[in-house]
Amino acid sequence: NASLLGILQHPDGTVLKQLQPPPRGPREQEFYNKVYDSDCCDSILLELREYLPKYFGVWSPPTAPNDTYLKLEDVTRKFNKPCIMDVKIGQKSYDPYASAEKIQQQVSKYPLMEEIGFLVLGMRVYHVSSDTYETQNQHYGRSLTKETVKDGISKFFHSGYCLRKDVVAASIQKVEKILEWFEGQTQLNFYASSLLFVYEGSCQATTVRLSDVTLAEKRRVPKGLLSGGDVLEYNNNINVINSTENGKIEASVSKGLSKFYALHKKACSKRHHSQLSLKVENSEQDNVWKTSTCITQEHLNGNVLPQLEKVFYHVPAETKESANVEVRMIDFAHVFPSNTKDEGYIYGLKNLITVLQNILDN
């Protein structure tokens, strides 16, 4: 998937995106610096962080100190078989300062941008039946017309067996949140920026990606915390964290693991097929140690339950949210200050939501 995005995966769970030549690269760096400034108290920018990859500053290889990379969260990391789609949003893929040549070049690449408001730049879909990935490059997206765009996008949500309507529904919810943000802000306009969609293509949700150890089957649970084969010593400051949106919990736990687990079991019994996502973070090593795993309901009914006494779970508040889906905004080389709503981006988001809704309804 790194090749699809033109970025390098770093073993520490981040990706490195090489800074583009000026003015684009510095503009993107400036955008991230502004949004992630530790002194930032603008509620609009603070909310925007929820929809971006986390930003960890810039990095240069010791051997080439003049090469600069943005260090960003790898949104695909928690997935075992990540299905990825990159969709450029907006009616214009050139910014207000583009030359006539640049405008001509961009328009000729996809003359339907103005009318459709988005363009599929690429996708990578895992097919369960054949255990292979199907990849589509930018030519695929540019071949889509008003008539074929719905089928063209629905390909991303097809596992080879079936259409993943759960993923479509969760994607709509996430895009709607981003649309709400755009409806409420008049300080930034985004050109040639994308949405990155990621979901879990594997139906073996018991596989933990972090160290590729199958949960609780190949090893006995240690006295600490089971998670992807790593043991985190129980040290009175384990945080179960997740973003508070989607009704997810944010709790600091020092005692009473079993009480927490009982609540979890109660929540499980109310749901048949929900997937449970686990995120544990050791607050002392902020952002260094994180893992995520999924366990399906059938599995919990089996013999794994007794082995999980020391693991926390969190069940999403809405069944719709049970699909493990990420939608993040990426690519900010053409973001400009503004004093109006970003109507082109809003148009694209609304049109994309309509297409997703049509996929869901048919």
Side-chain angles (χ1 to χ4, degrees), residues 99-271:
S99 65
E101 294 81 13
K102 179 70 176 175
I103 293 172
Q104 179 53 45
Q105 179 217 6
Q106 287 298 321
V107 170
S108 64
K109 272 188 182 175
Y110 194 58
L112 292 169
M113 196 75 185
E114 192 84 31
E115 195 182 354
I116 295 179
F118 61 83
L119 166 64
V120 176
L121 293 178
M123 65 171 75
R124 183 170 177 267
V125 188
Y126 178 71
H127 284 178
V128 180
S129 40
S130 56
D131 186 28
T132 56
Y133 279 100
E134 180 186 354
T135 304
Q136 301 292 349
N137 65 17
Q138 55 185 325
H139 300 290
Y140 173 79
R142 284 195 229 145
S143 72
L144 299 177
T145 63
K146 256 187 103 166
E147 290 68 43
T148 60
V149 70
K150 172 176 164 269
D151 290 341
I153 282 197
S154 69
K155 193 188 260 283
F156 173 63
F157 299 102
H158 212 285
S159 70
Y161 283 130
C162 66
L163 180 69
R164 291 286 305 274
K165 289 201 166 189
D166 57 327
V167 177
V168 182
S171 298
I172 291 169
Q173 284 196 319
K174 305 247 175 185
V175 178
E176 280 175 340
K177 291 281 291 177
I178 293 171
L179 175 59
E180 272 177 46
W181 182 85
F182 271 90
E183 292 282 18
Q185 72 90 21
T186 55
Q187 54 174 291
L188 294 169
N189 279 4
F190 295 74
Y191 300 90
S193 185
S194 286
L195 287 184
L196 186 71
F197 290 76
V198 190
Y199 72 89
E200 180 56 72
S202 156
C203 55
Q204 284 202 286
T206 40
T207 308
V208 175
R209 168 96 190 301
L210 199 66
S211 57
D212 292 321
V213 171
T214 304
L215 179 65
E217 286 178 356
K218 295 189 176 163
R219 53 203 302 148
R220 291 181 57 246
V221 180
K223 277 278 185 277
L225 249 183
L226 166 88
S227 60
D230 291 291
V231 182
L232 179 65
E233 285 308 318
Y234 180 55
N235 59 4
N236 285 342
N237 65 0
I238 296 164
N239 287 340
V240 180
I241 65 135
N242 220 318
S243 58
T244 44
E245 56 146 359
N246 302 341
K248 292 181 179 173
I249 48 164
E250 198 157 21
S252 202
V253 183
S254 58
K255 297 190 184 70
L257 302 193
S258 53
K259 189 196 287 183
F260 204 90
Y261 181 65
L263 287 171
H264 151 66
K265 261 205 296 208
K266 196 171 165 187
C268 277
S269 60
K270 290 184 186 164
R271 259 185 192 77

Side-chain angles (χ1 to χ4, degrees), residues 206 215-217 221 226 261 295 298-309 313:
T206 40
L215 179 65
E217 286 178 356
V221 180
L226 166 88
Y261 181 65
I295 295 187
E298 295 92 0
H299 217 85
L300 282 171
N301 296 341
N303 60 357
V304 182
L305 267 178
Q307 296 179 275
L308 292 178
E309 292 299 341
Y313 286 98

